[in-house]
Amino acid sequence: MSLPKKKLLQAYRQMKTIREFEERAHAEIMNGQIAGFTHLYTGQEANAVGVCEHLNDEDTIISTHRGHGHCIAKGADVIGMMKELFGSSEGLCKGKGGSMHVADIEKGILGANGIVAGGPPISVGAALAARIRKNKRVAVSFSGDGSVNQGTCFEAMNLAVVLNVPAVFVIENNYYSEHTNIEYAVGCDDLKTRTEGFGFPVFVADGADFFSVFDAAGKAIDHARAGNGPAGVFAETGRFHGHFVGDPQHYRADGELDDLREHSCCLKRFREKMAESGEVSQEELDSIDAGVLALIEQSVAEAKAAARPTPEQVGNDVYISYGTG
Amino acid sequence: MSLPKKKLLQAYRQMKTIREFEERAHAEIMNGQIAGFTHLYTGQEANAVGVCEHLNDEDTIISTHRGHGHCIAKGADVIGMMKELFGSSEGLCKGKGGSMHVADIEKGILGANGIVAGGPPISVGAALAARIRKNKRVAVSFSGDGSVNQGTCFEAMNLAVVLNVPAVFVIENNYYSEHTNIEYAVGCDDLKTRTEGFGFPVFVADGADFFSVFDAAGKAIDHARAGNGPAGVFAETGRFHGHFVGDPQHYRADGELDDLREHSCCLKRFREKMAESGEVSQEELDSIDAGVLALIEQSVAEAKAAARPTPEQVGNDVYISYGTG
Amino acid sequence: MSEKTMRDAINEALHQAMAEDESVFIIGEDVAGCNGAPSGKVGEVGGVFGVTSGIYKEFGPDRCIDTPISESAIVGAAAGAALVGMRPVAEIMFADFIGVCMDQIVNQMGKFRYMFGGKSKCPAVIRFASGGGFSAAGQHSQSMYQVMTAFPGLKVVIPANAYDAKGLLLQAIKDDDPVLFFEPKALYQEVCEVPDEMYTIPFGEAAFLREGDDVTVVAFGQMVNRAVAAIDALESEGVSCDLIDPRTSSPLDEGAILESVEATGRLVVVDESPPRCGLTADIAALAADRAFHSLKAPVKQVCAPHSPTPFSPELEAAYIPSVERIQSTIKQLLA
Amino acid sequence: MSEKTMRDAINEALHQAMAEDESVFIIGEDVAGCNGAPSGKVGEVGGVFGVTSGIYKEFGPDRCIDTPISESAIVGAAAGAALVGMRPVAEIMFADFIGVCMDQIVNQMGKFRYMFGGKSKCPAVIRFASGGGFSAAGQHSQSMYQVMTAFPGLKVVIPANAYDAKGLLLQAIKDDDPVLFFEPKALYQEVCEVPDEMYTIPFGEAAFLREGDDVTVVAFGQMVNRAVAAIDALESEGVSCDLIDPRTSSPLDEGAILESVEATGRLVVVDESPPRCGLTADIAALAADRAFHSLKAPVKQVCAPHSPTPFSPELEAAYIPSVERIQSTIKQLLA
Ligand SMILES: Cc1ncc(C[n+]2csc(CCOP(=O)(O)OP(=O)(O)O)c2C)c(N)n1
Ligand SMILES: Cc1ncc(C[n+]2csc(CCOP(=O)(O)OP(=O)(O)O)c2C)c(N)n1
Ligand SMILES: [Mg+2]
Ligand SMILES: [Mg+2]
């Protein structure tokens, strides 16, 4: 598979943006600047980007509690997102959603989602709309290895097959749902087979490798876009942080995190591949890095300076207020 | 497989009891004697009996909206059931449950259930109790071909595997969920495989043949009782009536019902087998028939004569009444 | 204009809305019917209550969509399609089944607009058959609208007659927020005059069904007819009542209720749900706060007892508020 | 007797109940933790809020059971085990997740006893972390207990301090009906004196936290401390209030509330849920009916606005009723 250079640079930039967004968010949370529950995507960047690089603005994604990466990959405004995390009224959701509810409908981002497996049924709806309108859009939902045990996820998969809609189910297996390993939580031996049992093809990817994900996602998305019904992507991946910021990670093996950062870093892997193939120079990548760091720095500076919401805003964006209280 | 004569007679009696209970219930509904929504099990008797003949009082079953057959097979008092259908305060549930909520905890009947796929999670709980107490009990849940698309059903199957509990999932495929065929509602090509994907063996049966169901259920129940975790039974069957009493059955092919009654009647099949093997004479079966008819006649007579509930009884069997109103 | 049942009025509204707006489609279990069936008679059913009958035949498989028994996926599908600009009308058969799809209604559909900072629209309608009267027992008889009223972001509609049902449903389909539309199943066969044309009834505007001086009666859904009967029977005894049917429990026409209570000084609220945290309490509390100084007597709630709905016809008759109970409660206030 | 956090008090209750009764077990997501994990440290977690910490180590894998993310199956498993004689205590993490398991709570567990003619017991406890205060936004901040109070067959408990939490949980575990136990997560770290021994607090008995003549304040859960602060601050202004914490919203200690309102003639009800069909309305309506003749002023509700919980700390602070709002509402009644 060979990609035009522009695409390569774009993919790397997206992954790097996610990485730096997350690492900075982590720092700001530790600083006490960001409130609430935040789940970081560091380590899984290639999954979001490998999928979203196939999508256009009219296609939709729906994300999870661990949503920053998916949103950035699908084109959400990074500064608006950082402002949202900081709870500013200038944030993407005016400070009402926060980390778990970043959304941008215009960009086809139907939202991060605080309810595990809340997204897949909704994504099937977006896919159904595409089928009805025959507009060749696809609808992608992201799920974790834990989320696939929730009833709504199964229902969505079956319904997508029944209705033959262009829904793509991306399962990111980072081996843990909170503190529990997939070995325990998924009863069967092989999640890919269980998923395929629902009646659609599932393409496997190495989630640390952009090209592997891009390839698998391409097959799934082409399948769906061509009107053949739903398809799946199953990516093995790893998160570099805890489930949430502050997680003591008792579940990890000794050295597991070091190992992950060493061997499963999609940025390193990308650089290695580029060094091998010579398609993109390390300097070009360095200059992307610098640009990304500047953007993230700017996003935090702007977020800190941004307007804070005022109490009256509590009652906006809902259809009615009652006089009680 | 050879069964002691006593067992054979018992199995036939149970199937015949269910058949006559249902046919009489049908008549009484048409007469306006029985209120509410009633779903008849006629045609599927061999499934309930083939399974429940492996169970003892300490084992549990949980049933569906189409529950009469399962309850009778598990030993519910037929007269109490008929009284319940008639809404008498002498009914098994004092007239509070009716057809969709017949239950008898003492007999291990955790209830018919008006919510499609409401039962499987509860059954996993009963199985979990058995695992914890190490008492060798099994917990059986019945599901239809439609109910297996409900999220709770999938969750229950996965949880049963994860917890390695003696839960047996019996799927009765009568080809329809209300007015929709399984061809449409189950997206995949093969429901048995989809189910096995969850990580337990599923044994297939001809649901019109008591011996076939008995055999498959025996394997599943032995598997579970021996501590090997959950197992499934998948039976092809047919209901002789509509989804509910009064259903115009637009979904049926011409002649489908005649065909079912002709070729998929478990009572006929049983008689044929006995005629072949000579284990039980037709006269013996005739005499069972007579006994069953008498019992059903008695149940209706008693139900019609039974006490009616009084308004005060509305407020019993709930932990508190509030003074409002 | 002609007499129509509530079932037919709703059916007509669906037909008209779908003819007018391509983005409207319906989805649910057996809303067409017979899919995959050997008879080939797809579309012959139109929902278990027949409310969507004929729609498949008129609008075809892209706009009348049968589903497996997967209520969460149905609501989710409606929500997702609505987020991208469609106007789905989903049917969830019995309101009790909210139990298996509540998250998609309450935490998803109902919260997008707010959580996304007002930048999304989710114009989905979910229809339910609600309430008692069929000896359908504990899992097929609940009204549920009171519980949904508790959740911000959801509009909650409860038509009490065929005319309102049509106008409110057409409004619901046009509305840019998610709307839960509860059809009291005991009223499907009830008839009244219903215009053949399209018309809408705005949300948050109560209907005044009787005018009187002595007592304000507020009733919902199935209870409205019973309140009418109770009030009319009392006329001969010289008692006259205002009767208000809010029609939408959220948004609620607080003004109409308060104004009436200010005039009569007495309030009886009638609903078929159990007493705790329901609409009877909700409206009683509204009056106790904002019409307090006009109140001449205790605010009375007529509702079901705090138990599930019983199966037996006699028990159910004792469970659902009767004309007599409404009547005697009104009289009690004047004693 | 020693000072304990609410988290520790609940943890102690669980330990003691499990030590006393073999049929008690706990089940939920990560209630042990680290199952299947390469570290081998099973039991190291004890729930995301740490409430069940140490239980796996003391009682082992048959009594401290981790599950997949399948809330319906968790509640169902608890219900089924309870039907056959166990006394499960399930944890559903955030109360908001009732959305994905409501049927098993409301239509199953809560209705067995009634639908089965009083012939079954379902002694299951479901624990939830409820309420706001963490900037956890719309899907992780709801109280939900008001919605569950609407359903007959369920007992609903809302402890407001560590002492009550322990006594009420021990009662819940002994109780033969299903009990929903809502732990205001903002209170997990709050301490008070808690006896080391086992003790139970009966359901349906309110706690009297302050006594006064001017106004009755009824508050739930997280709001109780704020009501205390508001009342104490008003003391210097010569205002004295009764403060009642019902502790269980169902069964509800109607008598305690009515008696107090009869004495003071004024009522303020405080809860952190939105206004419609909630507990503030419920209790206001109770007074408007059965203490009407004693009422001297409008019955006031202090609650959240009719919107989902916002994320931003400033917005959430404006959303959840504050000490000041409680205080000014009380004063308004006396003006
Ligand atoms: C319905 C529901 N149950 C539980 C939770 C709490 N929770 C949030 S994330 C999470 C684990 C999800 O695991 P996985 O799907 O593997 O995603 P990952 O966190 O690994 O990205 C859990 C249990 C929730 N948010 N929603
Ligand atoms: C949650 C829920 N959704 C829908 C229904 C309405 N309903 C009752 S039975 C039924 C069909 C069930 O089909 P299947 O599981 O195949 O059982 P069968 O009727 O064939 O025995 C439906 C849709 C229900 N009772 N509960
Ligand atoms: Mg994971
Ligand atoms: Mg079927």
Side-chain angles (χ1 to χ4, degrees), chain B residues 65-66 114-116 144-147 150 174 176-178 239 243, chain C residues 29 69 71 93 97 100 140:
Chain B
H65 58 288
R66 199 176 301 290
I115 302 294
V116 163
D145 52 289
S147 124
Q150 182 73 256
N174 64 9
Y176 299 101
S177 48
E178 290 192 346
R239 57 169 155 80
H243 171 64
Chain C
E29 293 159 21
I69 310 175
E71 282 79 4
M93 221 182 280
F97 306 163
V100 293
H140 286 73

Side-chain angles (χ1 to χ4, degrees), chain B residues 136-147:
Chain B
K136 296 279 171 201
R137 295 178 190 170
V138 299
V140 175
S141 59
F142 290 94
S143 301
D145 52 289
S147 124

Side-chain angles (χ1 to χ4, degrees), chain C residues 178-317:
Chain C
V179 178
L180 308 183
F181 196 85
F182 291 90
E183 301 163 9
K185 55 184 170 288
L187 303 181
Y188 275 136
Q189 295 285 52
E190 297 280 308
V191 295
C192 72
E193 288 290 321
V194 177
D196 299 330
E197 319 78 67
M198 292 177 84
Y199 58 94
T200 57
I201 297 175
F203 291 170
E205 284 192 15
F208 290 82
L209 299 172
R210 289 291 182 276
E211 299 206 10
D213 304 320
D214 302 319
V215 177
T216 299
V217 179
V218 175
F220 290 91
Q222 192 189 163
M223 292 296 103
V224 174
N225 286 347
R226 297 195 185 188
V228 167
I231 290 170
D232 290 352
L234 284 170
E235 224 184 305
S236 63
E237 301 183 31
V239 176
S240 83
C241 299
D242 267 2
L243 173 58
I244 297 175
D245 167 9
R247 299 195 288 204
T248 59
S249 63
S250 193
L252 178 70
D253 190 345
E254 298 182 323
I257 296 167
L258 291 170
E259 217 171 285
S260 169
V261 174
E262 276 154 20
T264 63
R266 295 183 188 85
L267 175 61
V268 174
V269 197
V270 191
D271 187 38
E272 63 171 309
S273 317
R276 300 302 312 284
C277 296
L279 279 167
T280 56
D282 184 83
I283 289 178
L286 171 70
D289 177 6
R290 288 161 56 199
F292 178 77
H293 296 292
S294 312
L295 284 175
K296 299 179 208 158
V299 182
K300 288 289 172 192
Q301 303 174 46
V302 181
C303 52
H306 190 66
S307 75
T309 312
F311 161 68
S312 187
E314 290 94 327
L315 291 174
E316 194 184 26

Side-chain angles (χ1 to χ4, degrees), chain B residues 27-273:
Chain B
E28 297 297 336
I29 293 161
M30 300 308 277
N31 280 343
Q33 295 284 310
I34 293 176
F37 301 140
T38 318
H39 309 86
L40 302 176
Y41 195 66
T42 313
Q44 305 187 202
E45 300 87 348
N47 302 289
V49 177
V51 170
C52 292
E53 281 304 307
H54 291 283
L55 305 177
N56 51 51
D57 272 7
E58 285 70 43
D59 296 324
T60 58
I61 65 161
I62 194 158
S63 173
T64 67
H65 58 288
R66 199 176 301 290
H68 308 165
H70 307 131
C71 295
I72 291 174
K74 188 64 171 51
D77 171 37
V78 169
I79 296 177
M81 274 181 64
M82 192 62 87
K83 288 179 175 171
E84 187 61 29
L85 264 59
F86 273 75
S88 158
S89 52
E90 296 171 16
L92 216 47
C93 304
K94 300 188 195 157
K96 287 185 169 150
S99 166
M100 281 195 286
H101 306 295
V102 173
D104 189 342
I105 306 290
E106 302 280 291
K107 293 263 168 63
I109 302 166
L110 306 187
N113 205 307
I115 302 294
V116 163
I122 299 163
S123 192
V124 171
L128 175 59
R131 186 199 96 179
I132 296 174
R133 292 159 156 173
K134 301 182 180 51
N135 59 15
K136 296 279 171 201
R137 295 178 190 170
V138 299
V140 175
S141 59
F142 290 94
S143 301
D145 52 289
S147 124
V148 293
N149 298 314
Q150 182 73 256
T152 49
C153 191
F154 299 116
E155 289 189 11
M157 294 191 303
N158 183 53
L159 184 62
V161 177
V162 169
L163 301 183
N164 195 46
V165 296
V168 175
F169 298 94
V170 178
I171 301 175
E172 294 179 60
N173 175 19
N174 64 9
Y175 291 87
Y176 299 101
S177 48
E178 290 192 346
H179 313 273
T180 297
N181 195 277
I182 184 172
E183 282 300 312
Y184 181 82
V186 170
C188 66
D189 291 332
D190 179 7
L191 180 54
K192 173 182 185 277
T193 308
R194 185 177 89 180
T195 308
E196 284 182 326
F198 281 79
F200 55 85
V202 174
F203 302 94
V204 174
D206 173 353
D209 177 2
F210 166 77
F211 297 98
S212 173
V213 178
F214 187 78
D215 189 42
K219 287 177 186 149
I221 291 168
D222 288 352
H223 175 96
R225 210 185 288 283
N228 300 315
V233 175
F234 185 72
E236 311 269 326
T237 182
R239 57 169 155 80
F240 292 2
H241 286 288
H243 171 64
F244 54 90
V245 178
D247 175 3
Q249 305 184 63
H250 293 298
Y251 42 84
R252 301 274 192 193
D254 282 349
E256 183 178 331
L257 276 176
D258 293 341
D259 204 59
L260 270 178
R261 286 199 183 257
E262 183 61 28
H263 301 294
S264 302
C265 173
C266 59
L267 298 170
K268 271 195 200 164
R269 292 264 199 103
F270 193 95
R271 277 184 176 261
E272 282 159 21
K273 289 227 167 156

Side-chain angles (χ1 to χ4, degrees), chain D residues 60-140:
Chain D
D62 268 346
R63 302 190 59 199
C64 181
I65 300 171
D66 274 351
T67 69
I69 309 174
S70 305
E71 282 79 4
S72 284
I74 295 169
V75 176
L83 273 179
V84 298
M86 306 290 287
R87 295 189 172 270
V89 182
E91 173 170 309
I92 295 292
M93 220 181 281
F94 288 82
D96 313 69
F97 305 164
I98 286 174
V100 293
C101 56
M102 185 195 191
D103 183 73
Q104 289 291 327
I105 297 174
V106 157
N107 287 328
Q108 308 296 340
M109 205 171 72
K111 290 188 177 142
F112 291 147
R113 178 170 159 196
Y114 191 80
M115 293 193 310
F116 300 167
K119 295 179 182 168
S120 66
K121 285 180 192 168
C122 190
V125 179
I126 318 284
R127 299 176 38 249
F128 310 88
S130 77
F134 283 82
S135 275
Q139 296 173 337
H140 286 74

Side-chain angles (χ1 to χ4, degrees), chain A residues 212-224:
Chain A
S212 173
V213 177
F214 186 78
D215 187 42
K219 287 177 187 149
I221 290 168
D222 288 351
H223 174 96

Side-chain angles (χ1 to χ4, degrees), chain A residues 1-66:
Chain A
M1 163 199 30
S2 92
L3 275 172
K5 185 163 176 180
K6 217 177 109 185
K7 270 274 192 189
L8 290 171
L9 295 175
Q10 160 73 1
Y12 180 81
R13 181 182 296 108
Q14 291 289 68
M15 293 195 293
K16 181 70 179 172
T17 306
I18 298 170
R19 172 70 54 91
E20 294 305 329
F21 186 92
E22 295 298 65
E23 295 302 276
R24 186 60 184 266
H26 185 256
E28 297 298 334
I29 294 162
M30 300 308 275
N31 279 343
Q33 296 284 313
I34 293 176
F37 300 140
T38 318
H39 309 87
L40 302 176
Y41 195 67
T42 313
Q44 305 187 200
E45 299 87 350
N47 302 288
V49 177
V51 170
C52 292
E53 281 305 305
H54 291 283
L55 305 179
N56 51 50
D57 271 8
E58 285 70 43
D59 296 324
T60 58
I61 65 160
I62 194 159
S63 174
T64 67
H65 57 290
R66 198 177 302 288

